[in-house]
Amino acid sequence: MKNIAVLGSTGSIGKNTLEVVRNLNRNGYPVSVKYISANSNVDLLFEQIEEFRPKAAVVFSDSGYKELSSRSLKHKCEILHGQAGINEIAVRDDFELVVNALVGFSGLIPTVEAIKNGKQIALANKESLVVAGELIYSMLDKSSSTLLPIDSEHSAILQCLQGEPLKEVTKLILTASGGPFREFSKNELDNVTVEQALNHPNWKMGNKITIDSATLMNKGFEIIEAKWLFNIEAESIEVLIHPQSVIHSMVEFSDSSVKAQLGVPDMKVPIQYALTYPGRVSSDFPKLEFKHLKNLTFEQPDFDKFECLKITYDVIKSGGSYPIVLNGANEAAVELFLNRKIRFTDIPALIKGALDKHENNTKPTLENIVEIDSWSKDFVRKESAKAA
Ligand code: NDP
Ligand code: MG
């Protein structure tokens, strides 16, 4: 029996994870969900408690915590509150694996707590690695904890690397759908609406990552994520637009051979791989039908149009605390865009403004990371308020 905690169980990755758990239990690979968490979606959390009977559920928002605590549950389940609740379950020894499906900076401390407590981590929360990759890997070196990616591109690379000597890897090729604005001109991006940006052509995801996919900031984050996960320089990571999202990523080796991982775009596949790694368990998730595939196409990303991608390469070169600012400024700008306070093209402009004002800290501690994140968000909010 594998015992797990699912942080962010009410989100897109969280719900898919519970779907994977149902599949694994149907297929002779027993998984027990011991802990779940949400921010405020108490109705769904309540249903999940009734179905999975976890020992405890953590609610982050004050109102959500009060609301869930007042409900009568059919099964005994502790209701815990906020970061203190996460810290309280992190030290328990009745589960081995944490799925971190939290969104944004909120995922960092739970990743750190999981490492401190020697848990296996199935990581969807790429922002943890963007803001604290160096710190996380130095902690992992001294811990029995392990970290596996859920992100489809990184899962693809992990699958391509099985049985291969890492020193023979010459390039990682991260594929990207290009998002809803792949065919828009740079000028047209000025006036795109929130609805257009949320209309991703291939993937159904939470709002924040959907906007990150439309700006290609998501691909920028994935370069940083790959750099830490596979211990490879950013210069050896190439981004390739592949609108059909069938090839999830590729690895090139020194002998000029290239391996790719393919499949229907469905996050359940990489989530299940992270839970059953290095094994595989059968599923009835949709299978790729090659006979129905008309064409697979590839193109170079347009760095001039998708400035966030260009900014990322500059940030990686500068290193230190710049990625923290990249992430924090982006998170605040995406929230402002979703709340219709700024235009789509203000997102990279605000990020650049924050990066320009930042003084690098070459080896930030966890405390510094938290401070720099909050400085970046404040900066972006104040700048956008000034402009309004
Ligand atoms: P969602 O917005 O759908 O879900 C986020 C989850 O985190 C929800 O359970 C939400 O609770 C909870 N949450 C939100 N804010 C907070 C907070 N401040 N404190 C504690 N909990 C919070 O996000 P996704 O599932 O789309 O994404 C999760 C992570 O996975 C992100 O890092 C994303 O980049 C990554 N990812 C997602 C993919 C996808 O297909 N969705 C693909 C690859 C990576 P509530 O429901 O109550 O708001
Ligand atoms: Mg991805």
Side-chain angles (χ1 to χ4, degrees):
M1 172 73 80
K2 192 166 246 177
N3 298 295
I4 70 168
V6 184
L7 304 182
S9 60
T10 52
S12 160
I13 292 289
K15 286 188 278 186
N16 273 312
T17 301
L18 295 179
E19 193 54 50
V20 165
V21 169
R22 292 185 189 102
N23 178 65
L24 291 173
N25 282 323
R26 275 196 302 268
N27 283 283
Y29 189 98
V31 176
S32 169
V33 179
K34 297 283 182 207
Y35 301 100
I36 56 178
S37 88
N39 186 33
S40 58
N41 189 348
V42 172
D43 289 337
L44 181 56
L45 198 64
F46 181 82
E47 282 175 30
Q48 293 176 345
I49 294 171
E50 297 298 354
E51 178 180 350
F52 291 92
R53 304 188 188 187
K55 286 198 167 168
V58 183
V59 189
F60 272 79
S61 73
D62 297 341
S63 56
Y65 171 68
K66 270 190 212 130
E67 162 69 21
L68 190 63
S69 304
S70 71
R71 293 203 187 174
S72 61
L73 293 158
K74 272 199 232 115
H75 309 286
K76 189 168 166 284
C77 174
E78 277 176 88
I79 308 299
L80 303 170
H81 189 199
Q83 190 55 52
I86 294 288
N87 295 353
E88 198 180 321
I89 60 169
V91 295
R92 298 195 185 174
D93 57 8
D94 54 359
F95 71 108
E96 309 86 62
L97 185 143
V98 184
V99 176
N100 185 342
L102 296 168
V103 62
F105 193 81
S106 72
L108 173 64
I109 302 295
T111 300
V112 168
E113 286 303 313
I115 301 173
K116 278 191 200 156
N117 291 287
K119 306 293 183 194
Q120 298 164 34
I121 304 166
L123 188 72
N125 182 258
K126 64 191 88 186
E127 294 91 340
S128 292
L129 285 177
V130 172
V131 299
E134 188 164 358
L135 183 91
I136 287 172
Y137 272 88
S138 78
M139 289 180 72
L140 282 168
D141 279 347
K142 297 174 211 121
S143 155
S144 59
S145 178
T146 54
L147 191 150
L148 289 177
I150 279 182
D151 217 348
S152 57
E153 295 77 1
H154 306 74
S155 177
I157 291 168
L158 180 68
Q159 295 179 55
C160 293
L161 288 176
Q162 293 307 296
E164 299 289 355
L166 283 181
K167 64 177 185 11
E168 302 306 335
V169 171
T170 45
K171 201 177 5 174
L172 303 182
I173 303 160
L174 289 178
T175 53
S177 71
F181 304 133
R182 185 173 58 89
E183 291 178 322
F184 281 49
S185 70
K186 194 173 178 188
N187 287 341
E188 280 174 320
L189 287 185
D190 266 340
N191 297 316
V192 297
T193 63
V194 171
E195 289 69 26
Q196 283 174 302
L198 283 176
N199 189 20
H200 194 279
N202 304 348
W203 299 93
K204 177 100 196 66
M205 310 178 285
N207 284 354
K208 194 249 177 192
I209 186 178
T210 306
I211 302 302
D212 288 347
S213 300
T215 59
L216 260 64
M217 185 72 261
N218 180 52
K219 213 45 59 179
F221 287 162
E222 291 183 356
I223 299 170
I224 303 178
E225 186 185 9
K227 169 181 139 69
W228 292 114
L229 281 166
F230 305 110
N231 192 18
I232 189 165
E233 291 305 318
E235 294 77 53
S236 306
I237 306 174
E238 184 181 307
V239 171
L240 186 64
I241 304 293
H242 165 48
Q244 297 79 21
S245 297
V246 168
I247 298 182
H248 298 312
S249 276
M250 298 181 259
V251 178
E252 180 198 83
F253 296 93
S254 55
D255 62 356
S256 304
S257 179
V258 178
K259 276 168 88 174
Q261 189 263 345
L262 290 75
V264 171
D266 180 345
M267 285 310 295
K268 292 195 286 301
V269 179
I271 293 170
Q272 178 160 304
Y273 188 67
L275 294 185
T276 62
Y277 176 87
R280 293 188 187 269
V281 174
S282 77
S283 82
D284 52 12
F285 308 149
K287 303 258 190 287
L288 197 58
E289 293 284 355
F290 280 87
K291 56 182 180 289
H292 298 318
L293 283 182
K294 289 204 183 60
N295 55 356
L296 300 181
T297 59
F298 306 94
E299 55 196 74
Q300 294 284 325
D302 182 339
F303 288 92
D304 182 46
K305 190 166 76 179
F306 294 109
E307 284 177 86
C308 289
L309 201 51
K310 164 144 191 351
I311 296 171
T312 304
Y313 278 105
D314 296 340
V315 160
I316 294 171
K317 268 198 208 112
S318 312
S321 52
Y322 282 108
I324 311 165
V325 179
L326 179 75
N327 181 72
N330 177 66
E331 204 166 311
V334 168
E335 194 184 329
L336 289 164
F337 174 69
L338 283 168
N339 291 329
R340 296 163 211 272
K341 303 272 192 236
I342 60 169
R343 288 176 309 174
F344 186 74
T345 42
D346 291 331
I347 299 174
L350 286 163
I351 297 172
K352 266 197 266 179
L355 289 165
D356 285 347
K357 275 275 174 315
H358 179 63
E359 268 181 45
N360 198 10
N361 173 340
T362 52
K363 216 165 173 60
T365 61
L366 186 58
E367 206 181 16
N368 300 149
I369 294 171
V370 172
E371 281 163 14
I372 296 167
D373 172 69
S374 109
W375 173 84
S376 316
K377 287 174 177 160
D378 281 350
F379 178 88
V380 163
R381 288 176 195 132
K382 281 186 192 140
E383 282 301 295
S384 75
K386 264 195 244 165

